[in-house]
Amino acid sequence: MRFSINIPNFGDFADVRTVARVAAAAEEAGWDALFVWDHVVHSKESRRGQPFGDPWMLMTAAALATSRILLGPLVTPVARRRPEQLARQVATLDGVSGGRVIFGAGLGGPIEDEFGSFGAETDPKVLAEKLDEGLGLLAAYWSGDRVDHDGKHYRVDDVELLPATVQRPRPPVWIAGYWPRKAPMRRAARWDGAVPLFASANHGNAPTVDEVRELVAFLDGEREDRSRPYDVVVGGISPGDPAGARALIEPLAEAGATWWDERQLIRGTDFYRLEPVLRRIEQGPPTFA
């Protein structure tokens, strides 16, 4: 089991210096990764007046402040971005960090806020098409090879984007979605990992062992090559005492989860405030001793 810290890109964490401080503290305390949200307005009405930071600049600051921990977005809505621009951002971050990027991707939401507010497409089926086509393009761009593509939503004519990513053949790609919805988890099975939220356990709440076991069985049935490493990321708020942490997390690991993502509850203010998040970081990742 590996352990990560999860922060939004708004509130206190809109500031690059704050994120650099958080990343350095996480590395020093023994965490394995720092993941950052990728939102423009999130839930528009409830976030009015809050500053937002560009996630790629935030993660670059985190990369420059650290040397070991992994970094990435959880998650980037591929359909909200031009694939060629996104490919450059990921490759640049992978270079700056020395190959420490995990790319988390998904449909994105809330759709009416994040897409509709800007006159963009809001049909989930179209966004899913753009996500799948965009992911294929990203993998092609990251290779450093010349790319030609004539798809439903994107066209590329003899383009080579260099440098390629440091990680070969590309950074790991994790796909987000809600379980028990099967379509996003089928997509996840085609890539390198799944970052599910659960209908019964939203952000900050740990899923049940049975739910994780059912999801892992579904992913195993969908994956074409089960010999390749594969990650299943679950999360929530872990107990501060080793016995409590073991009682919560060890059964999830036995059910097939490979990462525990430490997340504050997505209500109140603690999840976007530095003080409570930094306090949890400095306590270190869960231990089972």
Side-chain angles (χ1 to χ4, degrees):
M1 200 71 158
R2 304 179 82 180
F3 300 97
S4 58
I5 289 290
N6 185 297
I7 59 172
N9 63 314
F10 52 79
D12 289 352
F13 305 110
D15 185 272
V16 293
R17 291 168 290 273
T18 297
V19 173
R21 179 183 174 188
V22 163
E27 182 163 276
E28 183 177 355
W31 296 86
D32 297 301
L34 174 72
F35 296 122
V36 180
W37 299 13
D38 183 351
H39 284 284
V40 179
V41 294
H42 195 243
S43 301
K44 186 168 61 177
E45 291 303 320
S46 63
R47 301 282 162 242
R48 288 195 185 278
Q50 279 195 337
F52 279 67
D54 178 85
W56 301 98
M57 292 188 176
L58 300 178
M59 288 185 287
T60 298
L64 293 171
T66 57
S67 61
R68 178 188 59 80
I69 60 171
L70 303 175
L71 303 160
L74 281 187
V75 295
T76 284
V78 173
R80 207 185 66 215
R81 298 178 176 273
R82 291 295 307 177
E84 62 272 19
Q85 180 187 29
L86 184 56
R88 287 281 198 206
Q89 290 169 315
V90 175
T92 300
L93 182 62
D94 204 45
V96 167
S97 67
R100 291 187 280 136
V101 171
I102 294 174
F103 181 65
L107 206 63
I111 291 175
E112 288 301 325
D113 292 301
E114 292 277 302
F115 292 85
S117 296
F118 304 98
E121 178 64 63
T122 57
D123 184 340
K125 291 183 179 180
V126 175
L127 297 179
E129 291 172 355
K130 295 181 77 172
L131 170 58
D132 285 327
E133 191 175 341
L135 285 168
L137 274 175
L138 289 173
Y141 287 140
W142 290 333
S143 71
D145 298 333
R146 292 192 179 183
V147 178
D148 288 281
H149 177 83
D150 188 9
K152 184 173 182 179
H153 299 285
Y154 304 108
R155 180 174 176 271
V156 186
D157 184 15
D158 190 28
V159 168
E160 180 182 72
L161 295 185
L162 295 174
T165 54
V166 170
Q167 297 179 82
R168 311 302 298 152
R170 53 172 173 74
V173 175
W174 292 353
I175 303 297
Y178 272 93
W179 180 256
R181 297 177 189 169
K182 293 190 167 96
M185 292 300 104
R186 286 195 183 97
R187 178 180 298 114
R190 297 195 293 270
W191 295 92
D192 309 300
V195 190
L197 289 176
F198 295 80
S200 63
N202 209 325
H203 195 280
N205 299 112
T208 68
V209 173
D210 286 344
E211 287 176 309
V212 174
R213 189 178 293 113
E214 289 168 3
L215 170 61
V216 170
F218 177 81
L219 290 166
D220 285 347
E222 293 288 325
R223 289 170 57 203
E224 291 185 359
D225 181 3
R226 291 180 58 185
S227 66
R228 292 194 308 117
Y230 193 84
D231 284 304
V232 177
V233 186
V234 300
I237 299 174
S238 63
D241 64 290
R246 180 171 188 164
L248 174 65
I249 299 173
E250 193 171 66
L252 297 172
E254 291 171 352
T258 62
W259 280 80
W260 174 265
D261 188 44
E262 191 75 25
R263 309 165 181 168
Q264 297 285 331
L265 290 171
I266 191 168
R267 60 174 182 261
T269 63
D270 279 3
F271 77 100
Y272 61 79
R273 291 176 55 239
L274 172 62
E275 182 181 348
V277 172
L278 188 60
R279 185 167 59 246
R280 178 63 191 92
I281 288 171
E282 290 173 343
Q283 292 170 354
T287 58
F288 301 158

